[in-house]
Amino acid sequence: MDPFAVSHFSNDALLHNLKMLVAHDCRTTAVLLTRIAEVEERKLFLPAGYASMHDYCIHELNFSGDVAYKRVHAARVARKHAAVLVAVADGRLHLRAVLMLERHLTTGNAAELVAAAAHKTRFELRLVLAERFPQPDVPESLQPLELPPWLPPSVAPPAAETPNVLDPDPIMFILPKHAAVSPPPSVELPAPAPVAAPAPRARMTPLSPGRFELRLTIDDETQDLLQRARAFMNNPAPVGEIAPVLKSALRLFVAHHERRKYAATSRPRPQAQGTASNPRHIPASVKRAVRERDGDRCAFVSDGGQRCSERARLQFDHIEPVARGGASTVENLRLVCRAHNQYAAEREFGAEFMEQKRTDARLAVYNS
């Protein structure tokens, strides 16, 4: 039988086979780590003509540089700590988690730390490490970015000395999307310099329980809004403190959207009597009750009891569809993510029918 053929599998058989292959892959990876560690220990890469195990993995085993780095370092960790090897073998730890644990593992804490890291995503594992190995807060900083010399004056920073952090007048510059990405032909450029790595994307890293480091790049409009927001605060944050301004702005943003989507309010009005003419209309009191019950999280639960963890782009879903007489009641409504909302509709009405409905909706928007 062709091992790559999949059409003969039923849905249940396909999922079962996939899980079996993943389990086999985990065990194979763990065995592979033991072989890499032993080859490195015996320095067998040297007679093979390589200066390091990393080079051997790239040029002899045809690993990519990233894969070679992960496996070589994970092999070293697994050789020191048997608990890591067992966790990789049974699928509780992926290789990135092993690398994140590497500098924190000791003979005394290996078993406990591996258990705490089991089945964690990278962000969840950062939370675990931040709780056990807290780091100090990072100082806030806001610095202008250097731009190429050929940019027009409208996007180039003013000729002035570097401003102080969060001084009332500084601006952090980024290249606008519409700006030219190459110099005019008339500009004579110096010899090309080494290409720098792209600027890191925004990220949030746990530092200690309840403390996070946030790094991002902002444009001049955002910088201006930040300064204006500081001016509107009852007790303006001292120059250089961004966090209080950001927190206040996010509170207003979240409150606005909670009112709009969930009818959230601390002073609800009495519910008007009568039935709305539109069967899809959801009363505000029902929205609030459904949201409180489902906890701002997709309420879809698999047959095996796994609840979806998605919290973004949630939608109100009628369990018994409106087209089949379902009412907009607390009992007949749930919050689900967009993907599970479409999945439920396809199970109820069929995938072809729902695809046609989506096509019709797109055409209606296009023709309007």
Side-chain angles (χ1 to χ4, degrees):
M1 180 180 294
D2 182 2
F4 302 107
V6 295
S7 59
H8 63 285
F9 284 111
S10 67
N11 290 348
D12 290 341
L14 180 61
L15 292 174
H16 178 70
N17 182 255
L18 176 60
K19 290 181 179 179
M20 286 183 59
L21 290 174
V22 170
H24 179 73
D25 183 64
C26 291
R27 289 192 294 272
T28 300
T29 298
V31 173
L32 180 61
L33 295 183
T34 65
R35 304 310 191 257
I36 291 174
E38 186 63 20
V39 169
E40 185 175 46
E41 178 68 16
R42 298 185 187 186
K43 301 186 185 301
L44 298 182
F45 52 83
L46 292 174
Y50 300 99
S52 68
M53 191 64 202
H54 183 265
D55 288 345
Y56 181 89
C57 287
I58 291 177
H59 301 292
E60 191 70 22
L61 303 182
N62 297 316
F63 291 171
S64 68
D66 181 62
V67 170
Y69 175 85
K70 287 181 181 178
R71 291 184 174 177
V72 171
H73 280 263
R76 294 169 183 167
V77 177
R79 190 176 184 86
K80 293 180 182 177
H81 307 286
V84 170
L85 187 64
V86 173
V88 171
D90 61 23
R92 287 180 291 131
L93 285 185
H94 47 77
L95 295 188
R96 174 55 63 183
V98 174
L99 299 186
M100 293 173 68
L101 293 175
E102 181 179 5
R103 68 189 184 93
H104 301 290
L105 288 168
T106 65
T107 303
N109 71 5
E112 186 273 337
L113 200 53
V114 166
H119 303 298
K120 294 289 192 298
T121 64
R122 290 173 65 175
F123 184 80
E124 290 170 343
L125 183 50
R126 289 193 184 104
L127 291 175
V128 170
L129 294 176
E131 181 179 0
R132 287 164 171 76
F133 310 98
Q135 303 175 50
D137 288 0
V138 295
E140 292 178 353
S141 63
L142 191 64
Q143 300 176 353
L145 301 179
E146 294 184 2
L147 296 181
W150 60 80
L151 287 178
S154 60
V155 297
E161 61 183 58
T162 303
N164 293 328
V165 174
L166 268 185
D167 192 67
D169 294 323
I171 295 179
M172 171 175 261
F173 292 89
I174 63 170
L175 182 63
K177 293 181 180 178
H178 61 272
V181 296
S182 59
S186 59
V187 176
E188 184 174 351
L189 297 178
V195 178
R201 295 185 297 174
R203 67 178 185 179
M204 183 167 62
T205 306
L207 296 174
S208 59
R211 310 294 291 177
F212 299 84
E213 173 192 359
L214 176 64
R215 291 189 181 184
L216 73 164
T217 300
I218 62 175
D219 59 15
D220 53 352
E221 180 184 6
T222 306
Q223 158 71 354
D224 179 64
L225 289 171
L226 180 63
Q227 299 300 336
R228 292 164 63 187
R230 281 187 63 251
F232 280 114
M233 295 183 69
N234 291 332
N235 297 306
V239 173
E241 292 189 9
I242 303 174
V245 183
L246 181 61
K247 181 186 290 187
S248 296
L250 290 176
R251 282 174 175 167
L252 292 174
F253 180 88
V254 170
H256 167 76
H257 286 280
E258 286 180 341
R259 285 195 301 270
R260 182 180 62 83
K261 185 166 186 174
Y262 301 124
T265 178
S266 59
R267 305 171 69 179
R269 292 179 294 181
Q271 182 65 44
Q273 299 297 319
T275 304
S277 58
N278 182 3
R280 295 188 179 276
H281 172 73
I282 304 174
S285 59
V286 173
K287 288 184 177 181
R288 289 192 290 268
V290 172
R291 180 209 178 191
E292 181 177 357
R293 181 197 65 204
D294 293 345
D296 289 326
R297 175 182 168 189
C298 179
F300 180 85
V301 180
S302 73
D303 294 337
Q306 175 64 42
R307 180 178 175 182
C308 176
S309 61
E310 183 60 63
R311 294 181 179 274
R313 297 176 293 279
L314 299 180
Q315 303 170 348
F316 286 100
D317 172 52
H318 290 79
I319 300 172
E320 179 67 22
V322 173
R324 295 183 173 170
S328 296
T329 62
V330 175
E331 294 75 22
N332 193 49
L333 284 166
R334 60 179 179 173
L335 279 177
V336 293
C337 62
R338 184 174 183 273
H340 276 124
N341 198 358
Q342 293 186 353
Y343 172 68
E346 290 178 355
R347 286 206 305 183
E348 191 71 33
F349 298 105
E352 292 183 3
F353 176 82
M354 292 307 302
E355 181 57 34
Q356 185 60 50
K357 294 286 285 185
R358 288 190 285 269
T359 300
D360 293 343
R362 287 193 292 267
L363 288 175
V365 173
Y366 177 78
N367 295 326
S368 61

